[in-house]
Structures are given as C-alpha cells and as structure tokens.
Amino acid sequence: MDTMTNLKGETGRDARRRIRAGAARLPTSGMAPGYVQGNLAILPKALAADFARFCMLNPKPCPLLGQSEPGDWRLPTLGEDLDIRTDIPLYRIWKNGEMVEEVTDLKGVWRDDLVSFVLGCSFSFEEALIENGLELRHQSCNSNVPMFRTNIECAPAGPFHGPMVVSMRPFKPADAIRAVQVTTRFPSVHGAPVHLGKPEMIGIKDIGKPDYGDAVPVRDDEYPVFWACGVTPQSVVATVKPEFCITHAPGYMLITDLLNSRLAVL
Amino acid sequence: MDTMTNLKGETGRDARRRIRAGAARLPTSGMAPGYVQGNLAILPKALAADFARFCMLNPKPCPLLGQSEPGDWRLPTLGEDLDIRTDIPLYRIWKNGEMVEEVTDLKGVWRDDLVSFVLGCSFSFEEALIENGLELRHQSCNSNVPMFRTNIECAPAGPFHGPMVVSMRPFKPADAIRAVQVTTRFPSVHGAPVHLGKPEMIGIKDIGKPDYGDAVPVRDDEYPVFWACGVTPQSVVATVKPEFCITHAPGYMLITDLLNSRLAVL
C-alpha cells in the first residue's frame, strides 16, 4: 500500500506506515477511510496538567482522545505501533508563541518532558453526515470549512483561557435537525452543534468573513449551523505563548487505529 | 385516591379507576404523572385497515401506541383492566363528519364493528423537556399549545389524506438543539421536530395566528420549533366524514399503564 491510488482498504496503521516511511507527505483527508484522525498538541510537562484540565472543562471544543506519559512518544491506546515523532506528515514547531519551523519528523527536537495530546476532529462526524446524505457545503465548494471566533468563553484552567472557535456548515431546517441527531452520537469528536442561525448571538458579525478557513454561501432557506472546533485549543495555546510547543500543520492530522463508527455512543 | 390533592403517586390504573367511577370528569393533564397519555380515534372496521396504514405511513404525526380487535373494548397492551368505553372522562361522537354529542361513556353507542386506535401525544415528550430544564412557553402563558396546518402533505392511505398539523414551542438556539436531542429519544410520541424557524417554508403565513390552540410570543432570540401533532389524524378523519366515529374530547386523554420514561428508545 505505497500509493494513493487505492486507499479504500487502507487501515490507520497502513497510513501511518506510509507516512513514517516518507511516502505520503500530504494532507491526510481521505487517507484510511473510516479511521479516526486527530489534532495534535505537544506541550512541556510544566503546562500539561493545566492543559489536560482545560480539555476536561471544555469537552466540546477540546475532546481528548489520548494523552501520553511525559517524554514518551507512544500512544498505545490510539495505535499499537504509533510513534508521535514520525507518524504525522508535517509538524509545526512553536517557540514563545511564534511558529518557527515546519518539520516532517520530531526526532531532532524531542525532549524528555514533552506530553502529547490528541484531540478529536470534525472529519469523524463529517463522515457520518455524508453517510446520512447531507451535503457539506465546504466540500461542494472545494474549500476549507469556515471557522469563527465567538464570544463564548471557554472555562479557564491555569494560564489557558480564551474564546471558543466554531466551524460552520449551512443546512436547511430539516437537515439541521438531522445533523443535530447525527453529531450528537459523537461526543468525542465535538458532538452536537453549539449554536444554530442567529450568528450575532455568539458574537459573529459577518458570516461571510470567517476568521479561519474559507467563506461558503448560506442560502435563504438555510441556517448556518455551528460546531465547537479543534482550532480552539490551538488558539488558546498560542495565547499562552509557551516557551516550546509542537502542533500538527493544518490538514496534516494523526491517523489512529480507532474506527469513526466506534466513536458513536449509540 | 379519590381526590385531586395528591396525584404524585397515582398510577395510570389509579387514574383510570377514578375516571371510570365518574370521580374525575376533568382534563387529564397532570393526572398520573409519568404515565403515557394517548389520543383516541375509534372507527368502523370498514375504515380501520386504511387508517392503520395511514398511521404506519405517517409515524411522526400518527404514532400508533395501540389498536384493538374489532368490537373489543379492551386494549391489554396499554392497561390490563383498560375499558375504552369508560376510561376517558369525555368523548366526542361524530356522524358524517359532524360532532353530534359529547358523552362520558360509550356504553350506549358501542358497536361490534368498532376499532380503537390510541396514538402517542406530546404530553410525554413535554415531560422530558421540562425535566431538562426547558421552558414550555404555552405553559408559562397558561394556554394551549399553538398548532398550525402546514403544506407538508401526509402520505395518503385509502380515503385518508391531508396536510400535517404541527405544534409549536419557541426556544433559543442552544435550547432548540437540546430539544431536538431530548425528543429524538421519543419516536413513539412524535419524536424530533419536523421543522425549525422559517415558518413560511412549511406554509405557515402568520406565527401569531395558529389554526388551533392559542398564540404564544416568540422572542427575537428564539426560533419557533415545530413538532408533528396528534391533531393531524383528527383533522384527516374529519375530512373523510365517516358515517360514525368517536374521539376523545380535546384535553381529555386516555391514561395508560405505560411509563413515559420507558418510551425513550435510549
């Protein structure tokens, strides 16, 4: 399985091996269909307890799928052979809140005090929405999902605080109701929407000007539907300006051995 | 248990016995808390198969909880001792589509060809909404829930056809999302909303002028949320003008031995 031509039967482990071998330095969307992909944040141990508590207090934007032991590059609950230093195609290195470098593995920068956090991402529930016959507008537009900073404050923990970031997908009313039902089943990957229509109520001034990602059209017979977004922890960490931290590069996710369908609580 | 002063521990069977004894000729709201109450339609056997199929084809407005054998006044799956001729405080007798009489029992009008249909009602999911801390506006206003004829056509069966009637409850966006979750658990009592906001999309011209029940205020930060309503089968039956049929009088429901909480699919 060394090509992009047949990913249908690719497992999470297959995909990580391709990535680890340098054979897939690409965004991970579409790789290992059906397997959970996650956001990555790696922080020094001095910040780890507060960040873990921040995730616990804010499960909708920060659904924690895995947390490593300090200095350990393994995350066996997410993948038997998983090595967080090599299994993501592209990483970002941050120093004092500034992105200083993009790298394809972490072997040169690894430290014994680093703790890895893997957070659920919307790919999992988007797969379920598509299986339900719902259109994802940003996919139809071949663009990134639009994301907005809101006036919803996350519950603070130590130095970590800040507003929730949401992603937006437009749906007709009956489809919005179905989307609530479908995503409610997936609390570990952002779960149900946090808001629906009326963007001004959560501090969004212009639905046509997202803070991240690309604008998509919302038709007159549709509502913008808002889900808590994994960009929230990234934006919160950036505010804290840790002396050192690591994230995945946007779109280059960690592919796990978990099945999306098994994340459904029912 | 012969007074209205302590209904807290009253069972469905207790309530039916009070009603059967003529000791409770009152609307049933608040009786036997926690027990399922249902809408009643009694039709001649000649129409029963088509009406049963109409319910099957339109489960959201017509969730069938029980159906009797022709001529049999019992419905043992809904209550061991249940006698449909005596266990509802007030009935309406209809001839050729006209309401001709209200009676307190059916012993004088019973026929060997009558089939009873008991349909779920919104009392059950309203109890669950209240338990979730959500405000029911029509209760705050001490009025009846507003109901509207829509442009959503029910699937026809034999002579039965017509538009869906919906009930409306206003909620803020986050509460509307919660209300979708809560009522989704109760498919046998109308289930999830069929529509949300944008009343014109389902043919409602003026949200302040319901076709049945009373108008309630919808605030600027709220949506009208619409559920399929048990008035639908009544309005459809009225259109057919059967030579003879019986319904409960509005608000005077059949109290069963089923628990609301056991209607939840999860």
Side-chain angles (χ1 to χ4, degrees), chain A residues 32-33 46 57 62-63 70 76 87 99 119 145 148 155 184 203 247-248:
Chain A
L57 290 170
C62 308
D87 288 3
M99 203 268 280
L119 304 171
V145 71
F148 301 87
T184 293
T247 66
H248 65 288

Side-chain angles (χ1 to χ4, degrees), chain B residues 1 3-20 22-37 87-90 123 127 251-256 258 260:
Chain B
M1 181 66 75
T3 74
M4 290 291 285
T5 53
N6 181 11
L7 300 178
K8 194 84 182 174
E10 186 181 54
T11 65
R13 187 169 179 159
D14 292 336
R16 286 198 307 277
R17 284 185 178 171
R18 285 201 298 132
I19 290 164
R20 199 180 302 156
R25 293 213 172 116
L26 296 161
T28 53
S29 173
M31 291 187 196
Y35 286 85
V36 174
Q37 302 197 15
D87 289 3
I88 286 181
L90 197 62
F123 284 3
E127 184 176 283
Y252 298 76
M253 316 293 281
L254 177 68
I255 305 179
T256 74
L258 306 180
N260 284 328

Side-chain angles (χ1 to χ4, degrees), chain B residues 54-173:
Chain B
F54 184 80
C55 294
M56 184 271 290
L57 289 170
N58 299 284
K60 293 201 93 167
C62 309
L64 199 50
L65 293 177
Q67 179 181 346
S68 73
E69 293 186 42
D72 195 343
W73 52 79
R74 296 172 303 167
L75 284 152
T77 59
L78 300 184
E80 199 196 350
D81 66 327
L82 197 156
D83 184 336
I84 201 67
R85 301 170 305 174
T86 56
D87 289 3
I88 286 181
L90 197 62
Y91 303 83
R92 287 184 164 180
I93 312 293
W94 303 74
K95 288 189 178 162
N96 303 311
E98 297 287 318
M99 202 266 282
V100 294
E101 196 181 5
E102 287 195 332
V103 296
T104 57
D105 78 61
L106 301 179
K107 288 190 171 170
V109 298
W110 193 256
R111 298 178 4 180
D112 281 348
D113 70 334
L114 294 180
V115 177
S116 300
F117 294 89
V118 177
L119 304 171
C121 105
S122 58
F123 284 3
S124 301
F125 77 66
E126 287 190 342
E127 184 176 283
L129 292 170
I130 292 165
E131 281 168 3
N132 272 266
L134 299 176
E135 181 218 342
L136 297 180
R137 184 65 39 79
H138 61 284
Q139 292 198 351
S140 306
C141 295
N142 209 9
S143 64
N144 287 318
V145 72
M147 293 165 273
F148 300 87
R149 272 189 298 273
T150 69
N151 62 10
I152 305 169
E153 279 297 311
C154 292
F160 298 104
H161 66 93
M164 188 187 296
V165 177
V166 295
S167 61
M168 187 280 279
R169 294 160 190 81
F171 290 109
K172 289 182 184 166

Side-chain angles (χ1 to χ4, degrees), chain A residues 43-115:
Chain A
L43 290 166
K45 188 182 172 186
L47 288 168
D50 281 334
F51 189 70
R53 192 158 49 93
F54 184 80
C55 293
M56 184 271 290
L57 290 170
N58 300 284
K60 292 200 94 166
C62 308
L64 199 50
L65 292 177
Q67 178 180 348
S68 74
E69 293 186 42
D72 195 342
W73 52 79
R74 297 172 302 168
L75 284 152
T77 59
L78 300 184
E80 198 196 353
D81 66 325
L82 195 157
D83 184 334
I84 202 65
R85 303 171 303 174
T86 55
D87 288 3
I88 286 180
L90 197 63
Y91 302 85
R92 286 182 164 182
I93 314 292
W94 303 74
K95 290 189 176 160
N96 304 310
E98 297 288 316
M99 203 268 280
V100 294
E101 197 181 4
E102 286 195 334
V103 297
T104 56
D105 78 64
L106 300 178
K107 288 191 172 169
V109 297
W110 193 254
R111 297 175 6 178
D112 281 346
D113 69 336
L114 294 180
V115 177

Side-chain angles (χ1 to χ4, degrees), chain A residues 181 184 192 196-198 220 223, chain B residues 181 184 192 196-198 220 223:
Chain A
Q181 294 178 316
T184 293
L196 184 155
K198 303 187 193 289
D220 285 348
Y223 292 115
Chain B
Q181 294 177 316
T184 293
L196 185 156
K198 303 188 192 289
D220 285 349
Y223 293 115

Side-chain angles (χ1 to χ4, degrees), chain A residues 172-174 177 180-181 184 192-198 201 219-223 266, chain B residues 172-174 177 180-181 184 192-198 201 219-223 266:
Chain A
K172 289 181 184 168
I177 291 167
V180 170
Q181 294 178 316
T184 293
V194 294
H195 192 68
L196 184 155
K198 303 187 193 289
M201 280 180 73
R219 303 188 184 118
D220 285 348
D221 59 355
E222 293 177 332
Y223 292 115
L266 57 99
Chain B
K172 289 182 184 166
I177 290 166
V180 169
Q181 294 177 316
T184 293
V194 295
H195 192 68
L196 185 156
K198 303 188 192 289
M201 280 179 75
R219 302 187 184 119
D220 285 349
D221 60 355
E222 294 177 331
Y223 293 115
L266 56 101

